[in-house]
Each structure stands twice: as C-alpha cells, then as structure tokens.
Amino acid sequence: IYEVFGALRGNGWSMTETTATVTGHSAEDYLNRPTSCGPPVAAADLKVMSEDGSTEMPIGEVGELWARGPMVVKGYWRRPDATAETFVDGWVRTGDLARLDEEGFCYIVDRAKDMIISGGANIYPAEIERVIETHPAVVGAAVIGVPDPKWGEVGKAIVELKSGASLTIEELKSFLKERLGKFKIPKYLAVTESLPRTPASEKIQKFILKEQHGNADNA
C-alpha cells in the first residue's frame, strides 16, 4: 500500500470485552513493525502472563496477554463464574498469546485455545496458516490439532482452494519444508469448499472445523 499508493496505514487490537481499541500504531511506526498491533493507548496497560496467571513473563517471551484500562468492562451479564475467571483485579485475561518488545509494542501470536502442543513443543497455528496461504493454490487455511499416539497432538491443515486447483499432503509438506521448522508442518490435510466464518468479522470458526475434521487422517 505504501509503495504503490504512498499511503501510510495502521494496525490495532481490541476485543469485545474491551469495548474499544487497546493498542494501535500507524505511519512510520507501522512500517517499522508491520507484524505488531502497536503499543497500548495512553489509558491502557498491557502485560504478558504465564499460563496459570501467576507470573509476568520477561520482555520478548510469549504468554497470555492481559489488558487494563477504562475501556475494559466490569464483567459478563449474569455470569459470575465466567467473570471471576476472566477479570482479575481490573485486568482482563484476553485468551490471546502475545509478546511485548522492549518499547512496549505488542505482537499477537495466536489464541491460547488454538495452540497445539506436539511432543512438548508449542506450535502456533496462525504462523503456519500465514505460510500456507502463500501457496498459489490456496485461498484460505486453518490449522487445528488432532490426536496422535506418539506426539500427543499433531497439526491438520484445512484449506480452501482456488477454483480448479488441487493440493495433496505431499505437495503441501514439500512447499512448507523450506519455509517452516519440520515440527510445525501439519501431518494431515483436508480440502473444503469453504471455511466456516463468522458473519461480521469473517473469523474462521475453528470449533466447527474441529467437529468436522478432528480425525487423524487426510479427510
């Protein structure tokens, strides 16, 4: 966009529980950190916590993103248990895996519930999906974890292909092996006519994919 049109774009992050933008950057800040969603706005604070919420992670380490500020709601309507689990001393546990750099810029890695643990290694599907979507036959992709007797979980890619295109698991693995670590490459592949998405934001509904494709085979 910048090179072709001379326009400077921006990026930001928020969620329903924050009601408004929590991070944001634009112009040169965005060009310098295009994979970041920016630092927190003036009224917000961010921290990255361990999985159990007991320890704040060092700069650069991945953990669960917590946010605080006047934009964060007080809780869920008539759901005290869910409120107690998600809102802690004014902070909202976002469920997003993220890291912060030395200047406070935030990088969203994936959703915690989507992370795959294979042989003790953390695998972030969002990273793999971005690479798969660069394949010339692919329109969209999602990666889920499926059971494996040796590794506990392995990745399975569900892809939507361009009209008339085809893709096999062997072709996908060959494409990915030069772009990803071996342990990140999905073991299985399923092709679908269309990925299920939410109506408004068009986020891929992975819970549906897990119901439809949670089996350990190429289907």
Side-chain angles (χ1 to χ4, degrees), residues 84-111:
E85 182 180 344
T86 304
F87 300 90
V88 181
D89 297 329
W91 295 86
V92 57
R93 302 184 63 163
T94 70
D96 283 333
L97 295 171
R99 61 182 176 86
L100 299 173
D101 69 16
E102 64 281 354
E103 294 186 57
F105 281 72
C106 179
Y107 298 77
I108 303 294
V109 176
D110 212 329
R111 289 290 292 169

mmCIF file of all heavy atoms in Angstrom, residues 84-111:
data_model
loop_
_atom_site.group_PDB
_atom_site.id
_atom_site.type_symbol
_atom_site.label_atom_id
_atom_site.label_comp_id
_atom_site.label_asym_id
_atom_site.label_seq_id
_atom_site.Cartn_x
_atom_site.Cartn_y
_atom_site.Cartn_z
ATOM 1 N N ALA A 84 -15.368 -14.119 37.172
ATOM 2 C CA ALA A 84 -14.262 -14.363 38.098
ATOM 3 C C ALA A 84 -13.059 -14.977 37.389
ATOM 4 O O ALA A 84 -11.905 -14.723 37.749
ATOM 5 C CB ALA A 84 -14.733 -15.270 39.229
ATOM 6 N N GLU A 85 -13.321 -15.773 36.365
ATOM 7 C CA GLU A 85 -12.247 -16.438 35.636
ATOM 8 C C GLU A 85 -11.523 -15.491 34.690
ATOM 9 O O GLU A 85 -10.319 -15.595 34.488
ATOM 10 C CB GLU A 85 -12.828 -17.614 34.845
ATOM 11 C CG GLU A 85 -11.799 -18.416 34.079
ATOM 12 C CD GLU A 85 -12.409 -19.570 33.311
ATOM 13 O OE1 GLU A 85 -13.575 -19.933 33.607
ATOM 14 O OE2 GLU A 85 -11.736 -20.115 32.426
ATOM 15 N N THR A 86 -12.243 -14.541 34.110
ATOM 16 C CA THR A 86 -11.690 -13.696 33.053
ATOM 17 C C THR A 86 -11.175 -12.354 33.561
ATOM 18 O O THR A 86 -10.205 -11.811 33.019
ATOM 19 C CB THR A 86 -12.756 -13.461 31.963
ATOM 20 O OG1 THR A 86 -13.212 -14.721 31.484
ATOM 21 C CG2 THR A 86 -12.199 -12.651 30.801
ATOM 22 N N PHE A 87 -11.813 -11.793 34.609
ATOM 23 C CA PHE A 87 -11.451 -10.458 35.094
ATOM 24 C C PHE A 87 -10.789 -10.576 36.462
ATOM 25 O O PHE A 87 -11.389 -11.070 37.411
ATOM 26 C CB PHE A 87 -12.688 -9.565 35.146
ATOM 27 C CG PHE A 87 -13.350 -9.379 33.806
ATOM 28 C CD1 PHE A 87 -14.349 -10.245 33.375
ATOM 29 C CD2 PHE A 87 -12.951 -8.359 32.954
ATOM 30 C CE1 PHE A 87 -14.947 -10.093 32.136
ATOM 31 C CE2 PHE A 87 -13.552 -8.200 31.705
ATOM 32 C CZ PHE A 87 -14.547 -9.069 31.297
ATOM 33 N N VAL A 88 -9.545 -10.099 36.546
ATOM 34 C CA VAL A 88 -8.747 -10.252 37.766
ATOM 35 C C VAL A 88 -8.172 -8.901 38.175
ATOM 36 O O VAL A 88 -7.308 -8.348 37.484
ATOM 37 C CB VAL A 88 -7.601 -11.266 37.550
ATOM 38 C CG1 VAL A 88 -6.800 -11.442 38.837
ATOM 39 C CG2 VAL A 88 -8.136 -12.600 37.061
ATOM 40 N N ASP A 89 -8.670 -8.348 39.263
ATOM 41 C CA ASP A 89 -8.139 -7.083 39.810
ATOM 42 C C ASP A 89 -8.066 -5.980 38.754
ATOM 43 O O ASP A 89 -7.075 -5.241 38.665
ATOM 44 C CB ASP A 89 -6.752 -7.306 40.426
ATOM 45 C CG ASP A 89 -6.794 -8.254 41.611
ATOM 46 O OD1 ASP A 89 -7.816 -8.277 42.317
ATOM 47 O OD2 ASP A 89 -5.796 -8.984 41.816
ATOM 48 N N GLY A 90 -9.098 -5.862 37.945
ATOM 49 C CA GLY A 90 -9.142 -4.815 36.935
ATOM 50 C C GLY A 90 -8.546 -5.200 35.594
ATOM 51 O O GLY A 90 -8.675 -4.451 34.616
ATOM 52 N N TRP A 91 -7.879 -6.337 35.541
ATOM 53 C CA TRP A 91 -7.287 -6.826 34.294
ATOM 54 C C TRP A 91 -8.242 -7.807 33.627
ATOM 55 O O TRP A 91 -8.919 -8.576 34.293
ATOM 56 C CB TRP A 91 -5.964 -7.545 34.556
ATOM 57 C CG TRP A 91 -4.877 -6.689 35.093
ATOM 58 C CD1 TRP A 91 -4.630 -6.376 36.404
ATOM 59 C CD2 TRP A 91 -3.861 -6.029 34.335
ATOM 60 N NE1 TRP A 91 -3.533 -5.568 36.511
ATOM 61 C CE2 TRP A 91 -3.032 -5.339 35.248
ATOM 62 C CE3 TRP A 91 -3.568 -5.962 32.973
ATOM 63 C CZ2 TRP A 91 -1.933 -4.595 34.845
ATOM 64 C CZ3 TRP A 91 -2.474 -5.219 32.567
ATOM 65 C CH2 TRP A 91 -1.675 -4.536 33.494
ATOM 66 N N VAL A 92 -8.263 -7.829 32.298
ATOM 67 C CA VAL A 92 -8.995 -8.840 31.559
ATOM 68 C C VAL A 92 -7.990 -9.816 30.965
ATOM 69 O O VAL A 92 -7.000 -9.419 30.324
ATOM 70 C CB VAL A 92 -9.880 -8.234 30.446
ATOM 71 C CG1 VAL A 92 -9.081 -7.388 29.462
ATOM 72 C CG2 VAL A 92 -10.624 -9.340 29.700
ATOM 73 N N ARG A 93 -8.225 -11.104 31.220
ATOM 74 C CA ARG A 93 -7.408 -12.152 30.616
ATOM 75 C C ARG A 93 -7.943 -12.376 29.204
ATOM 76 O O ARG A 93 -9.047 -12.863 29.022
ATOM 77 C CB ARG A 93 -7.488 -13.428 31.440
ATOM 78 C CG ARG A 93 -7.053 -13.249 32.883
ATOM 79 C CD ARG A 93 -7.059 -14.567 33.639
ATOM 80 N NE ARG A 93 -6.097 -15.503 33.057
ATOM 81 C CZ ARG A 93 -5.647 -16.593 33.681
ATOM 82 N NH1 ARG A 93 -6.072 -16.883 34.896
ATOM 83 N NH2 ARG A 93 -4.779 -17.391 33.087
ATOM 84 N N THR A 94 -7.171 -12.007 28.199
ATOM 85 C CA THR A 94 -7.704 -11.927 26.844
ATOM 86 C C THR A 94 -7.826 -13.275 26.147
ATOM 87 O O THR A 94 -8.583 -13.406 25.190
ATOM 88 C CB THR A 94 -6.819 -11.026 25.965
ATOM 89 O OG1 THR A 94 -5.562 -11.685 25.724
ATOM 90 C CG2 THR A 94 -6.581 -9.681 26.637
ATOM 91 N N GLY A 95 -7.058 -14.269 26.582
ATOM 92 C CA GLY A 95 -7.039 -15.532 25.857
ATOM 93 C C GLY A 95 -6.165 -15.493 24.619
ATOM 94 O O GLY A 95 -6.033 -16.492 23.909
ATOM 95 N N ASP A 96 -5.534 -14.358 24.359
ATOM 96 C CA ASP A 96 -4.598 -14.247 23.247
ATOM 97 C C ASP A 96 -3.178 -14.511 23.730
ATOM 98 O O ASP A 96 -2.780 -14.044 24.803
ATOM 99 C CB ASP A 96 -4.647 -12.841 22.632
ATOM 100 C CG ASP A 96 -5.849 -12.627 21.741
ATOM 101 O OD1 ASP A 96 -6.351 -13.616 21.190
ATOM 102 O OD2 ASP A 96 -6.281 -11.473 21.594
ATOM 103 N N LEU A 97 -2.420 -15.240 22.938
ATOM 104 C CA LEU A 97 -0.991 -15.408 23.197
ATOM 105 C C LEU A 97 -0.254 -14.275 22.503
ATOM 106 O O LEU A 97 -0.494 -13.986 21.331
ATOM 107 C CB LEU A 97 -0.514 -16.758 22.669
ATOM 108 C CG LEU A 97 -1.109 -17.986 23.369
ATOM 109 C CD1 LEU A 97 -0.735 -19.254 22.626
ATOM 110 C CD2 LEU A 97 -0.647 -18.054 24.815
ATOM 111 N N ALA A 98 0.638 -13.631 23.237
ATOM 112 C CA ALA A 98 1.304 -12.450 22.691
ATOM 113 C C ALA A 98 2.672 -12.275 23.340
ATOM 114 O O ALA A 98 3.018 -12.956 24.315
ATOM 115 C CB ALA A 98 0.454 -11.200 22.932
ATOM 116 N N ARG A 99 3.426 -11.343 22.796
ATOM 117 C CA ARG A 99 4.684 -10.924 23.410
ATOM 118 C C ARG A 99 4.794 -9.408 23.295
ATOM 119 O O ARG A 99 4.177 -8.793 22.410
ATOM 120 C CB ARG A 99 5.890 -11.601 22.753
ATOM 121 C CG ARG A 99 6.049 -11.299 21.268
ATOM 122 C CD ARG A 99 7.235 -12.031 20.672
ATOM 123 N NE ARG A 99 7.337 -11.832 19.236
ATOM 124 C CZ ARG A 99 7.950 -10.807 18.652
ATOM 125 N NH1 ARG A 99 8.542 -9.870 19.409
ATOM 126 N NH2 ARG A 99 8.001 -10.691 17.338
ATOM 127 N N LEU A 100 5.561 -8.808 24.173
ATOM 128 C CA LEU A 100 5.828 -7.377 24.142
ATOM 129 C C LEU A 100 7.310 -7.155 23.891
ATOM 130 O O LEU A 100 8.149 -7.884 24.438
ATOM 131 C CB LEU A 100 5.433 -6.722 25.470
ATOM 132 C CG LEU A 100 3.959 -6.807 25.880
ATOM 133 C CD1 LEU A 100 3.769 -6.267 27.293
ATOM 134 C CD2 LEU A 100 3.078 -6.044 24.893
ATOM 135 N N ASP A 101 7.646 -6.155 23.069
ATOM 136 C CA ASP A 101 9.061 -5.859 22.871
ATOM 137 C C ASP A 101 9.531 -4.821 23.889
ATOM 138 O O ASP A 101 8.767 -4.380 24.762
ATOM 139 C CB ASP A 101 9.350 -5.446 21.427
ATOM 140 C CG ASP A 101 8.763 -4.089 21.036
ATOM 141 O OD1 ASP A 101 8.389 -3.297 21.929
ATOM 142 O OD2 ASP A 101 8.689 -3.816 19.815
ATOM 143 N N GLU A 102 10.787 -4.427 23.766
ATOM 144 C CA GLU A 102 11.395 -3.545 24.768
ATOM 145 C C GLU A 102 10.776 -2.151 24.788
ATOM 146 O O GLU A 102 10.939 -1.407 25.758
ATOM 147 C CB GLU A 102 12.910 -3.450 24.539
ATOM 148 C CG GLU A 102 13.328 -2.818 23.216
ATOM 149 C CD GLU A 102 13.229 -3.771 22.030
ATOM 150 O OE1 GLU A 102 12.951 -4.964 22.258
ATOM 151 O OE2 GLU A 102 13.428 -3.309 20.885
ATOM 152 N N GLU A 103 10.045 -1.777 23.750
ATOM 153 C CA GLU A 103 9.384 -0.473 23.708
ATOM 154 C C GLU A 103 7.885 -0.577 23.951
ATOM 155 O O GLU A 103 7.160 0.401 23.788
ATOM 156 C CB GLU A 103 9.668 0.217 22.378
ATOM 157 C CG GLU A 103 11.136 0.601 22.182
ATOM 158 C CD GLU A 103 11.354 1.416 20.929
ATOM 159 O OE1 GLU A 103 10.715 2.481 20.795
ATOM 160 O OE2 GLU A 103 12.146 0.989 20.075
ATOM 161 N N GLY A 104 7.420 -1.753 24.332
ATOM 162 C CA GLY A 104 6.016 -1.917 24.669
ATOM 163 C C GLY A 104 5.102 -2.240 23.508
ATOM 164 O O GLY A 104 3.877 -2.272 23.683
ATOM 165 N N PHE A 105 5.659 -2.475 22.331
ATOM 166 C CA PHE A 105 4.830 -2.841 21.184
ATOM 167 C C PHE A 105 4.387 -4.291 21.336
ATOM 168 O O PHE A 105 5.181 -5.157 21.706
ATOM 169 C CB PHE A 105 5.595 -2.651 19.873
ATOM 170 C CG PHE A 105 5.656 -1.228 19.408
ATOM 171 C CD1 PHE A 105 6.459 -0.303 20.062
ATOM 172 C CD2 PHE A 105 4.908 -0.793 18.319
ATOM 173 C CE1 PHE A 105 6.524 1.017 19.640
ATOM 174 C CE2 PHE A 105 4.963 0.526 17.891
ATOM 175 C CZ PHE A 105 5.764 1.435 18.562
ATOM 176 N N CYS A 106 3.125 -4.543 21.029
ATOM 177 C CA CYS A 106 2.516 -5.850 21.239
ATOM 178 C C CYS A 106 2.473 -6.647 19.938
ATOM 179 O O CYS A 106 2.178 -6.099 18.875
ATOM 180 C CB CYS A 106 1.103 -5.667 21.793
ATOM 181 S SG CYS A 106 0.215 -7.213 22.091
ATOM 182 N N TYR A 107 2.748 -7.931 20.043
ATOM 183 C CA TYR A 107 2.690 -8.845 18.905
ATOM 184 C C TYR A 107 1.772 -10.006 19.272
ATOM 185 O O TYR A 107 2.086 -10.788 20.168
ATOM 186 C CB TYR A 107 4.083 -9.380 18.561
ATOM 187 C CG TYR A 107 5.066 -8.316 18.149
ATOM 188 C CD1 TYR A 107 5.675 -7.492 19.099
ATOM 189 C CD2 TYR A 107 5.393 -8.121 16.816
ATOM 190 C CE1 TYR A 107 6.579 -6.514 18.729
ATOM 191 C CE2 TYR A 107 6.302 -7.145 16.426
ATOM 192 C CZ TYR A 107 6.891 -6.341 17.396
ATOM 193 O OH TYR A 107 7.779 -5.378 17.014
ATOM 194 N N ILE A 108 0.630 -10.106 18.619
ATOM 195 C CA ILE A 108 -0.293 -11.208 18.857
ATOM 196 C C ILE A 108 0.230 -12.444 18.127
ATOM 197 O O ILE A 108 0.494 -12.403 16.922
ATOM 198 C CB ILE A 108 -1.715 -10.875 18.367
ATOM 199 C CG1 ILE A 108 -2.236 -9.602 19.043
ATOM 200 C CG2 ILE A 108 -2.643 -12.050 18.612
ATOM 201 C CD1 ILE A 108 -2.449 -9.717 20.538
ATOM 202 N N VAL A 109 0.371 -13.540 18.851
ATOM 203 C CA VAL A 109 0.905 -14.776 18.279
ATOM 204 C C VAL A 109 -0.215 -15.713 17.849
ATOM 205 O O VAL A 109 -0.202 -16.252 16.748
ATOM 206 C CB VAL A 109 1.837 -15.472 19.291
ATOM 207 C CG1 VAL A 109 2.334 -16.805 18.745
ATOM 208 C CG2 VAL A 109 3.016 -14.572 19.645
ATOM 209 N N ASP A 110 -1.204 -15.913 18.707
ATOM 210 C CA ASP A 110 -2.318 -16.810 18.394
ATOM 211 C C ASP A 110 -3.297 -16.771 19.545
ATOM 212 O O ASP A 110 -3.069 -16.100 20.556
ATOM 213 C CB ASP A 110 -1.822 -18.245 18.188
ATOM 214 C CG ASP A 110 -2.672 -19.012 17.176
ATOM 215 O OD1 ASP A 110 -3.886 -18.725 17.071
ATOM 216 O OD2 ASP A 110 -2.131 -19.876 16.484
ATOM 217 N N ARG A 111 -4.401 -17.520 19.402
ATOM 218 C CA ARG A 111 -5.327 -17.741 20.505
ATOM 219 C C ARG A 111 -4.806 -18.889 21.349
ATOM 220 O O ARG A 111 -4.365 -19.911 20.821
ATOM 221 C CB ARG A 111 -6.719 -18.081 19.980
ATOM 222 C CG ARG A 111 -7.439 -16.926 19.333
ATOM 223 C CD ARG A 111 -7.850 -15.875 20.337
ATOM 224 N NE ARG A 111 -8.895 -16.360 21.248
ATOM 225 C CZ ARG A 111 -9.266 -15.702 22.348
ATOM 226 N NH1 ARG A 111 -8.658 -14.576 22.700
ATOM 227 N NH2 ARG A 111 -10.230 -16.184 23.113
#
